[in-house]
Amino acid sequence: MLMRTDPFREMDRIVQQLSGTSGTWSKPSVMPMDAYREGDEYVIAFDLPGVSTEAIDIDVERNMLTVKAERRPVTKADAVKVELSERPLGVFSRQVVLADTLDTERIQADYDAGVLTLRIPIAERAKPRKISIRGEAGRKQISG
C-alpha cells in the first residue's frame, strides 16, 4: 500500500542519532513510523513525543503524504543550567507514497501520547467484490 521514497533515509537517521545533530527545515530528521492494514483502513503511526499538535503539518498532494513536525526546546529561566540534553530537537519529516487504492480524501488524523496516527480508508473500487456470471441465455451473440 505504500512505498518508501528514499532508501538512504534510514542511514541518515542513524548518523544523526550518533552525531547528535538536529534536523532543520532544509534537512529534517526522520521520524520513526509503523504502517499496517486494519480491516478496511490503512494505518500509519508516527512517533512524535514532545511535539505539540500546532507544530505538526500533514499534507497530501496526489499520492504523496508528507508529515512534518518540529520539537522546540522548552524555554528555561536564565538561572537554569542545563546538565544534560539528549532529547532530539528540531524538524522531523517523512514522505510516503500512497497507493491509488487508498481514499486520500478521507484521511483521519489523531494525536495521543506522542503518537500521530493516520487512518486512510481503502477506496471502494479497490475492495474485493464478487463478479456474477450470466448464463447462456444472457450472453450476447457476435455476428460477423
Side-chain angles (χ1 to χ4, degrees), residues 1-67:
M1 291 293 179
L2 64 94
M3 179 174 51
R4 293 180 184 237
T5 57
D6 186 355
F8 300 103
R9 197 97 191 220
E10 185 67 16
M11 185 65 92
D12 287 344
R13 185 185 66 77
I14 292 169
V15 169
Q16 284 177 342
Q17 281 182 338
L18 294 174
S19 66
T21 58
S22 298
T24 63
W25 282 105
S26 61
K27 186 158 175 66
S29 298
V30 175
M31 65 186 78
M33 72 174 220
D34 290 335
Y36 53 93
R37 183 172 175 166
E38 186 177 86
D40 286 340
E41 292 182 320
Y42 202 72
V43 181
I44 305 175
F46 299 92
D47 277 351
L48 292 171
V51 176
S52 69
T53 55
E54 295 81 28
I56 301 173
D57 186 38
I58 307 167
D59 290 313
V60 176
E61 186 175 336
R62 297 187 191 209
N63 288 3
M64 179 66 73
L65 171 73
T66 303
V67 178

Side-chain angles (χ1 to χ4, degrees), residues 1-3 42 44 62-65 96-104 120-123 125-126:
M1 291 293 179
L2 64 94
M3 179 174 51
Y42 202 72
I44 305 175
R62 297 187 191 209
N63 288 3
M64 179 66 73
L65 171 73
V96 179
V97 178
L98 302 175
D100 290 333
T101 57
L102 298 176
D103 186 352
T104 59
I120 311 165
I122 306 293
R125 69 180 184 281

Side-chain angles (χ1 to χ4, degrees), residues 65-136:
L65 171 73
T66 303
V67 178
K68 280 192 175 185
E70 183 175 13
R71 184 178 311 135
R72 299 175 182 105
V74 178
T75 54
K76 298 172 181 69
D78 291 336
V80 174
K81 181 180 174 190
V82 177
E83 296 291 330
L84 180 65
S85 179
E86 293 182 343
R87 296 172 51 214
L89 301 173
V91 180
F92 302 87
S93 178
R94 194 72 184 249
Q95 285 191 313
V96 179
V97 178
L98 302 175
D100 290 333
T101 57
L102 298 176
D103 186 352
T104 59
E105 297 293 321
R106 299 187 311 141
I107 296 175
Q108 293 180 345
D110 295 302
Y111 186 63
D112 184 40
V115 178
L116 173 67
T117 303
L118 302 180
R119 295 185 172 278
I120 311 165
I122 306 293
E124 285 297 322
R125 69 180 184 281
K127 292 180 182 175
R129 60 190 180 281
K130 193 77 170 164
I131 307 296
S132 61
I133 301 172
R134 296 187 302 190
E136 289 289 324

